[in-house]
Amino acid sequence: MKDMYDVLIIGAGVVGCSTARELSKYDLNIGVLERREDVSCGTSKANSGMIHGGYDATHGTIKAKLSKRGNELFTILDNELHFGHTRCGSLVLAFDEEDIETLKGLQENGNKNGVETEIIDIDRIHEIEPNISNDVIAALYCKTAGIAMPFQYCVALAENAIDNGVEFNFNEEVTNITKDGDVFIVKTKDNEFKARYVVNAAGVYADKISAMIAETNFKITPRKGEYMLLDKCESTKVHPVIFPTPKAHSKGIALTQSQDGNILVGPNAEYIDDKEDVSTDAKTLDEVWAQTDSYLIDKLDKSKVITQFAGLRAVTDSQDFIIEESSTKGFINAAAIQSPGFTVSYAIAEMLVGILKDAGLELKENKDFNPNRRGYVDMEKMSKDEINELIKKDPRFARVICRCETITEGQIVDVLHRGIKVTTLDGVKRRMRAGMGRCQGGFCSPRVMEIIKREYDMNYEDVTKKGEESYILTGKLNKGGNN
């Protein structure tokens, strides 16, 4: 921990990590505070991973201004950071003439945003996705839309930022912010951090963080969305991102094939008060599932759902992003980052750097900046000869730990030694999919725990499911087997 940071970023989601990485291009001392044990533990974690085309962001909004740039940046960033993305395209389905009129409106809005789309008939739709229902009469097709894994994207940004000198501080929940002259003093439960500038990228807590130091006229209302994830055996049924035509009251339920091959169903949208409520319930999930029945000829098999989860979006009354210097000079808000926040996260980072420069931050090029990151070892994409050569160098790549996803000990060890200490099962799962398959960690969890414990010389009790008090083991049994 440095005595003074030039810029301190609060929040290690996609916006916080993007900003950290973009600022590392300059000769600055950059710090990140994250209240949880890892990056991508809030809104960013429970994101569908869609790379939106940008046709639906209302023209004239900040969302619209950043959408095309954010979409284009994914190709550039993936070439440097190797997190993986696919330009699978998206289809907005029309079932009647009223829907077609809505598609025309979306297309016109997209044209204003500089995004190319086309309205296509059922024959062209079936060329793109043969499994689309014959009840569909037209669709809005956007070929630049795509998918990526949000947590792997976030981790890649953070790892590269760390390689370029950024300091990440985890388990540091901000409790108070004051300003002494030109210096911000940011307090957490156990520590005090000082910085010349602060960027607030705290997700659903951005309003609370802003109110600690500045006049704040916005309130974040969490909007919960529930999802279901299907086994990979269903992956052949959906290829592009599929939406229904949006209605006045809802955008409808999307179908997405993730970067790793699982189909994701959801999310719905429900405004709630609790910023920590990521629970799911059977009734809501049944309603989510029912909305997709009309999309496909070969229906999805609900018995193949392997898990469900929920995420929270940070929403304000304006329905637009809040990216600006606050009433307190040097304190910058990046708040209300809802959809398409994942898509435009790096464009937001570029915008924030511009705001910091206008606020007085001197930007001097970091001549040692390295834009490149080595990707994770993906043995599925390697030839047999390449795998055999890898195993000769390190036999741990021959020991399968996760049978569902065929993840080896060597791959897990690799992700543990990349700048962020990963002491949770979920942290390994998000990086290398061990525990993300059909059995959801039922078989591999003890072995993953063993590897984490060994690599970091930890106690078993300190290896948790997802940090905080998500304990798996709490102590040893007595020799006689009595508790």
Side-chain angles (χ1 to χ4, degrees), residues 224-373:
K224 183 163 75 169
E226 299 186 29
Y227 299 85
M228 287 173 281
L229 189 74
L230 280 77
D231 194 340
K232 287 182 178 179
C233 64
E234 291 287 280
S235 65
T236 59
K237 295 180 179 179
V238 175
H239 297 94
V241 177
I242 299 172
F243 303 93
T245 298
K247 305 298 183 184
H249 61 283
S250 173
K251 286 187 175 182
I253 304 301
L255 297 179
T256 313
Q257 184 181 140
S258 76
Q259 181 69 15
D260 290 320
N262 302 89
I263 293 175
L264 196 62
V265 181
N268 67 325
E270 176 190 1
Y271 287 95
I272 61 174
D273 296 321
D274 187 350
K275 294 178 188 278
E276 294 292 317
D277 181 8
V278 290
S279 62
T280 61
D281 69 272
K283 182 177 181 295
T284 299
L285 290 172
D286 285 343
E287 292 171 353
V288 168
W289 185 270
Q291 292 187 50
T292 69
D293 277 349
S294 62
Y295 298 0
L296 305 175
I297 297 170
D298 187 6
K299 309 297 185 188
L300 297 174
D301 184 349
K302 196 175 183 182
S303 70
K304 299 300 188 295
V305 172
I306 58 176
T307 192
Q308 57 276 324
F309 61 93
L312 302 180
R313 275 59 178 156
V315 182
T316 62
D317 290 340
S318 73
Q319 297 296 319
D320 199 6
F321 302 151
I322 299 171
I323 306 174
E324 61 188 12
E325 186 174 21
S326 72
S327 59
T328 300
K329 183 173 175 57
F331 185 89
I332 317 298
N333 281 316
I337 310 300
Q338 54 168 308
S339 179
F342 172 62
T343 303
V344 303
S345 55
Y346 210 88
I348 290 173
E350 292 178 333
M351 183 176 177
L352 288 169
V353 171
I355 293 172
L356 285 164
K357 181 180 179 181
D358 291 342
L361 178 65
E362 184 179 349
L363 299 177
K364 182 181 177 181
E365 180 186 355
N366 175 10
K367 294 181 179 179
D368 295 325
F369 174 73
N370 178 11
N372 300 307
R373 164 194 177 261

Side-chain angles (χ1 to χ4, degrees), residues 401-473:
I401 301 300
C402 175
R403 288 181 276 177
C404 295
E405 297 293 320
T406 321
I407 302 301
T408 68
E409 180 181 0
Q411 290 171 287
I412 294 171
V413 170
D414 176 51
V415 304
L416 296 180
H417 298 287
R418 285 173 165 261
I420 299 174
K421 190 174 182 180
V422 186
T423 61
T424 68
L425 294 183
D426 281 3
V428 172
K429 177 175 71 174
R430 291 193 290 267
R431 288 164 171 81
M432 190 40 69
R433 292 190 60 82
M436 200 175 279
R438 185 174 300 175
C439 82
Q440 289 290 289
F443 288 98
C444 66
S445 290
R447 300 187 71 187
V448 175
M449 288 182 67
E450 182 182 16
I451 294 169
I452 295 172
K453 185 256 186 192
R454 181 194 69 208
E455 293 299 308
Y456 294 143
D457 192 23
M458 295 172 60
N459 295 320
Y460 275 117
E461 301 95 298
D462 295 326
V463 180
T464 62
K465 174 73 166 61
K466 54 181 179 179
E468 295 181 325
E469 297 184 354
S470 59
Y471 301 114
I472 301 166
L473 302 174

Side-chain angles (χ1 to χ4, degrees), residues 91-103 122 125 132-140 242-247 253 291-297 299:
L91 294 170
V92 184
L93 308 181
F95 292 86
D96 55 39
E97 293 299 324
E98 183 179 347
D99 285 350
I100 291 178
E101 290 303 310
T102 302
L103 297 189
I122 189 63
I125 292 169
I132 292 294
S133 169
N134 291 315
D135 292 334
V136 173
I137 61 173
L140 184 71
I242 299 172
F243 303 93
T245 298
K247 305 298 183 184
I253 304 301
Q291 292 187 50
T292 69
D293 277 349
S294 62
Y295 298 0
L296 305 175
I297 297 170
K299 309 297 185 188

Side-chain angles (χ1 to χ4, degrees), residues 126-144:
H126 280 158
E127 290 176 9
I128 298 166
E129 177 50 77
N131 198 31
I132 292 294
S133 169
N134 291 315
D135 292 334
V136 173
I137 61 173
L140 184 71
Y141 176 52
C142 180
K143 66 180 180 180
T144 58

